[in-house]
Amino acid sequence: MIPPDTHLQIGSLLFEGLDQIDLTGPFEVLSRVPNSTYRVYAPSLDPVRDVRGLRILPDATLAEAPRLDVLHVPGGQGQEALMRDAAVLGWIRDQAAGAGHVLSVCTGALLLGAAGLLVGRRATTYWNAVHLLPFFGAEPVDERVVIDRDADGRTWVFAAGVTAGIDGALRLAAALRGDEAAQAIQLGMQYAPEPPFDSGTPRTAPPAIVARARAAAADLTARREATARAIAAERGIRPPEPASVTR
Amino acid sequence: MIPPDTHLQIGSLLFEGLDQIDLTGPFEVLSRVPNSTYRVYAPSLDPVRDVRGLRILPDATLAEAPRLDVLHVPGGQGQEALMRDAAVLGWIRDQAAGAGHVLSVCTGALLLGAAGLLVGRRATTYWNAVHLLPFFGAEPVDERVVIDRDADGRTWVFAAGVTAGIDGALRLAAALRGDEAAQAIQLGMQYAPEPPFDSGTPRTAPPAIVARARAAAADLTARREATARAIAAERGIRPPEPASVTR
């Protein structure tokens, strides 16, 4: 917990082709953290289109962002296009270096990996990308929210896929301002979920549905894997043996 | 379920001061309903600011909307400013008349009430507004998602507060395209929630937190109540006895 009178600068990265709820789920929580300024930052001031077409406006450019105390990196299909983007990765690296807390949601973790920030981290990401984490030097952990702390005292919150960002952001809010602050936010958003089916993970969803989802994403998964392998090779990270790459 | 080869027009109302996740939660689901066009409609093409500042762009104006098969009405504090807005309420009324399915989230239900659409309906809304439903002729039901069908065969899906829209939208997706379609969407968004606290309803949250939330919203609640009373009086709806107005 941070002293309540310390004002916090909280910022989310917004980018073309993100999965909007990777951003908007945590937005609902992070924009209500007491004594904080929360803003959304993008490479330019243009509207950004999510993978299904929702158009969101950033509050400011990456260059205009102050030093953030809390950095939030969402994911989604558009993440792959940023894996070699020096400007965005440099911004993530610089902001993470100064931040006390970093939250990634879904394949936002791969952006942290591309920025070189996952070496030695316990982490998670979207269920269909978790096998890629070792290419970035991370240890994949099969939990919905993984919290890791580094030698500098920085707290890393990794949320698994998409809606896991809500759970991750509530855990982060509790880390920042205490359990009661997080509970008040949870009440405000009436977050007492009742999914109508138990189909939210590849373990619980009907196998045919999982197979179709993997098939539909096969091209993207192959591209992500090629990128991860190339980055691992450049950095001398020994890629995991095929047997350990489980999906 | 609707024949799979029937293309569906799905639309969400976007308005100033909404609670963004009332829109973006269902967006994640509704934008992935097979064989559908999903768009976001607002009074004008200007960016709309949510209650905490997220700026979202509509796809088209209300006037440009086709006849919708599925109408989604979100809520949030900005709902109160629309309770006498003849243009918006007329649009809701007209679209609901032609739609086979209507989804309200949070205090979006009060907008349906102001449009005269709740008489005789079983319904729900945000936990701190559910006592207002009888003023619009509705029977409040203490469930996270309430599904009602009217004499014309129209399906009404009422989601309680804020994040309940995700659960409501998944129920709606199942009603539109079957359980497997909804399960595939649920897997895609990895929706297997793990709230870190059991603080998402006034029954389960710590009483002091509930009391503070009610106090913080007291002005808005009073304004909502005055509006609801006035509308009930105009329509000759007998307001509920005080004893039955439980919060």
Side-chain angles (χ1 to χ4, degrees):
Chain A
M1 231 177 105
I2 292 171
D5 60 351
T6 302
H7 189 80
L8 295 172
Q9 287 285 349
I10 307 178
S12 294
L13 171 66
L14 175 64
F15 59 86
E16 194 72 16
L18 90 163
D19 194 319
Q20 60 87 19
I21 212 168
D22 288 19
L23 178 91
T24 58
F27 180 99
E28 196 69 12
V29 177
L30 300 179
S31 67
R32 289 167 171 85
V33 168
N35 195 15
S36 70
T37 299
Y38 172 57
R39 302 187 85 187
V40 174
Y41 301 97
S44 83
L45 290 177
D46 295 335
V48 166
R49 193 178 286 269
D50 116 298
V51 67
R52 297 299 299 167
L54 187 71
R55 289 187 301 159
I56 300 173
L57 281 164
D59 296 311
T61 65
L62 301 185
E64 291 165 344
R67 192 190 64 71
L68 299 174
D69 302 296
V70 180
L71 169 65
H72 163 221
V73 179
Q77 294 189 16
Q79 144 275 329
E80 180 60 22
L82 298 181
M83 295 291 280
R84 299 293 193 175
D85 187 313
V88 169
L89 297 179
W91 185 83
I92 290 174
R93 199 179 299 115
D94 290 348
Q95 288 290 359
H101 295 74
V102 180
L103 166 67
S104 77
V105 178
C106 199
T107 52
L110 304 186
L111 290 174
L112 297 183
L117 298 170
L118 288 193
V119 178
R121 296 269 76 74
R122 301 171 67 251
T124 194
T125 183
Y126 189 52
W127 62 265
N128 203 16
V130 76
H131 63 290
L132 301 178
L133 290 173
F135 290 97
F136 302 101
E139 175 194 342
V141 179
D142 186 18
E143 289 171 10
R144 187 159 174 85
V145 178
V146 175
I147 299 187
D148 197 16
R149 289 187 178 77
D150 67 21
D152 297 327
R154 191 178 295 103
T155 299
W156 299 80
V157 181
F158 299 97
V162 198
T163 55
I166 299 171
D167 299 317
L170 283 168
R171 296 276 296 271
L172 173 58
L176 292 169
R177 293 302 191 202
D179 288 358
E180 285 201 11
Q183 288 171 311
I185 293 170
Q186 186 183 353
L187 176 64
M189 59 200 281
Q190 201 162 342
Y191 186 50
E194 293 182 12
F197 306 101
D198 188 11
S199 185
T201 74
R203 272 190 308 281
T204 59
I209 288 176
V210 178
R212 280 199 294 273
R214 287 195 202 282
D219 284 354
L220 176 61
T221 303
R223 275 184 281 128
R224 281 174 168 158
E225 195 168 308
T227 302
R229 279 189 191 282
I231 290 175
E234 289 162 28
R235 293 182 186 159
I237 293 174
R238 189 194 163 92
E241 300 299 319
S244 75
V245 180
T246 54
R247 297 179 205 179
Chain B
M1 230 176 107
I2 291 170
D5 59 350
T6 302
H7 189 81
L8 295 172
Q9 286 285 349
I10 308 177
S12 294
L13 172 67
L14 176 64
F15 58 86
E16 194 72 15
L18 90 164
D19 194 319
Q20 60 87 19
I21 211 167
D22 288 19
L23 178 90
T24 57
F27 179 99
E28 196 69 11
V29 177
L30 300 179
S31 67
R32 288 167 171 85
V33 168
N35 194 15
S36 70
T37 298
Y38 173 58
R39 303 186 84 185
V40 173
Y41 301 96
S44 83
L45 290 177
D46 295 335
V48 166
R49 193 178 284 270
D50 116 300
V51 66
R52 298 299 299 167
L54 187 71
R55 288 187 301 158
I56 299 173
L57 281 165
D59 296 311
T61 65
L62 301 186
E64 291 165 343
R67 191 190 65 70
L68 298 174
D69 301 295
V70 181
L71 170 65
H72 163 221
V73 179
Q77 293 189 17
Q79 144 275 330
E80 181 58 22
L82 298 181
M83 294 292 278
R84 299 292 192 176
D85 187 313
V88 170
L89 297 180
W91 184 84
I92 290 174
R93 199 179 300 114
D94 291 347
Q95 289 290 359
H101 293 75
V102 180
L103 166 67
S104 78
V105 179
C106 199
T107 53
L110 303 185
L111 290 174
L112 296 183
L117 299 170
L118 289 192
V119 178
R121 297 268 76 74
R122 300 171 69 251
T124 193
T125 182
Y126 190 52
W127 62 265
N128 203 16
V130 76
H131 63 290
L132 301 177
L133 290 174
F135 290 96
F136 303 101
E139 176 195 341
V141 179
D142 186 18
E143 290 170 10
R144 187 159 175 86
V145 178
V146 175
I147 299 187
D148 198 15
R149 288 187 178 79
D150 66 21
D152 297 327
R154 191 178 293 105
T155 298
W156 299 79
V157 181
F158 299 96
V162 199
T163 55
I166 299 171
D167 299 317
L170 284 168
R171 297 276 295 271
L172 173 58
L176 293 170
R177 294 298 191 204
D179 288 359
E180 284 200 13
Q183 288 171 312
I185 293 169
Q186 187 183 353
L187 175 64
M189 58 201 282
Q190 202 163 347
Y191 185 50
E194 293 182 11
F197 307 101
D198 188 11
S199 186
T201 74
R203 274 190 307 280
T204 59
I209 288 176
V210 178
R212 279 199 294 274
R214 286 196 203 283
D219 285 354
L220 176 61
T221 303
R223 274 182 284 128
R224 282 175 168 159
E225 195 169 309
T227 302
R229 279 187 192 284
I231 289 174
E234 289 162 28
R235 294 184 185 159
I237 293 174
R238 188 193 163 95
E241 299 298 318
S244 74
V245 181
T246 53
R247 299 179 203 179

